[in-house]
Amino acid sequence: MKQLRRRSTLVATGAAAALLLIPAAVAFANGSGGSDTSLRALGSKQGLRIGTAVDAARLGGDKGYTDIVAGQFSTVTAENAMKWESVEPSRGVYDWTAADQLVRFARQHGQAVRGHTLMWHNQLPSWLTTGVANGSISDAQLRDILHRHVTDEVTHFKGKVWQWDVVNEVFANSWETPQADGLNADDFWIKHLGSGIVGDVFRWAHKADPKALLMYNDYNITGEDGTNAKFQAVYDFVRNLREQGVPIDGIGEQGHLDTQYGFDAQRYQADLQAFGDLGLKVAVTEADVRTFVDNPTDQVPTDSLAQYAQPYEFSELLKGCELVKQCISFTVWGVYDGDSWIPGTFGGEGYGLLYDVNLKPKTAYSTLQQDLRLAAGAPRHTNG
Ligand code: 9MR
């Protein structure tokens, strides 16, 4: 891995400072000047936004949680509030309440919003999946409905969303059936609308908000599963989209790790860089590092080495992003272990985030602080 370059001064140019969109008063709200050790302040020194997924319903009501979101992070992602089932629970009836609340919060706290997600096979409204399953919604109608959804949602948040995860998780994993182009033949959208829908959704999103950064978001796309096949499929597909003039701006590498599998940090960094060299921005969008724990309530690691492996792998994730100048944000998938998706999905596992079940910062938190501080001379990231 190449060394972090040291640089004596870190004065943002006028343009870069404007793009950062972090008012100085907010960026340094937790201390004075350079003594602010919040993740957001440390990240801002290299133009890198540090983010978290947020449960919009908890903002305001839960002070400990809210203070961490406001104080530590310079970008926020709606963990669920912008998904289709949340914004259009009944056909034709939008409910933007929770998502709007998050966007307002972000604005008040000088945070950029990552919009998540416009086309995904999960968390679709039941009126849609039922209609498709019983044949009352034909594929042609489904395409029109998706077009309207993408246009309406992006238009609703026009000028307020920094990056959109436009398309999520449509490539085949090693245990799924890939098409010749690498897409998952069984994905709900690919199955009904074909591969061409991917480019179309980017075009529709771009039309609705030409300034938003449009990302393709997925997991295991930087070699995490021990092969680089999924990376290669995404790389080839996206290069092809760019050649066709499809408005895709970047790749979201989710970054869900598990200490039991290990992690090839060099492969990860090289893959991020390869995307960057295609002229794309990259973002780490859903970082967490899970491990085996005693129970889902306390989430104490059962393997004594996990207390080292967990922060170590987090550190590797962050450093890879720091070393790739096209990497514009590093987002963790949730604030604390008490509200992570991990225990509900992986039996016996947890401890995946930066704060423990009692909202106390863990070693992983201080490790990231340290990584950000030591990287003060890393390349300045291009912030969009
Ligand atoms: O964290 C999200 C959890 O609250 C939801 O129940 C779940 C539904 O599938 O989705 C989780 O977030 C996912 C994200 O939207 C896309 N990448 C994988 C994430 C973890 O499953």
Side-chain angles (χ1 to χ4, degrees), residues 79-80 83 116 120 122-123 168-169 254 286 333 341:
E79 184 171 5
N80 292 302
K83 291 172 180 171
H116 177 84
W120 189 29
N122 264 344
Q123 292 175 286
N168 202 41
E169 301 171 10
Q254 294 184 2
E286 306 185 12
W333 200 242
W341 67 293

Side-chain angles (χ1 to χ4, degrees), residues 158-286:
K158 186 174 179 187
K160 298 175 178 166
V161 165
W162 176 40
Q163 304 174 33
W164 270 111
D165 290 332
V166 175
V167 175
N168 202 41
E169 301 171 10
V170 293
F171 282 82
N173 289 297
S174 40
W175 58 90
E176 291 162 338
T177 320
Q179 300 182 160
D181 58 12
L183 298 182
N184 178 5
D186 294 326
D187 178 87
F188 177 86
W189 294 108
I190 304 307
K191 191 166 65 188
H192 288 283
L193 304 180
S195 304
I197 194 61
V198 175
D200 286 342
V201 171
F202 277 93
R203 290 187 187 96
W204 298 336
H206 181 70
K207 189 152 186 236
D209 187 353
K211 291 195 179 141
L213 291 176
L214 305 183
M215 318 288 282
Y216 174 71
N217 190 50
D218 210 333
Y219 57 92
N220 286 2
I221 56 171
T222 57
E224 293 95 328
D225 62 357
T227 83
N228 218 28
K230 197 170 170 190
F231 158 80
Q232 198 59 53
V234 174
Y235 181 90
D236 293 344
F237 193 93
V238 169
R239 185 174 55 186
N240 193 22
L241 289 182
R242 299 269 292 187
E243 280 165 12
Q244 291 167 40
V246 172
I248 174 169
D249 299 297
I251 301 292
E253 142 65 8
Q254 294 184 2
H256 294 293
L257 301 186
D258 185 327
T259 59
Q260 69 179 307
Y261 301 126
F263 173 53
D264 183 344
Q266 287 180 332
R267 175 80 275 149
Y268 157 79
Q269 190 196 326
D271 287 351
L272 289 187
Q273 189 59 63
F275 285 130
D277 292 344
L278 270 187
L280 295 162
K281 300 187 186 308
V282 294
V284 178
T285 54
E286 306 185 12

Side-chain angles (χ1 to χ4, degrees), residues 84-139:
W84 198 339
E85 70 172 8
S86 304
V87 300
E88 195 182 0
S90 309
R91 189 168 182 174
V93 183
Y94 288 118
D95 181 357
W96 307 108
T97 318
D100 283 348
Q101 193 192 337
L102 178 63
V103 170
R104 260 196 313 277
F105 180 93
R107 182 159 284 197
Q108 281 161 7
H109 295 93
Q111 296 164 319
V113 175
R114 298 197 74 264
H116 177 84
T117 174
L118 298 170
M119 187 182 101
W120 189 29
H121 58 267
N122 264 344
Q123 292 175 286
L124 294 170
S126 57
W127 59 261
L128 181 90
T129 48
T130 309
V132 171
N134 69 21
S136 63
I137 296 176
S138 68
D139 286 353

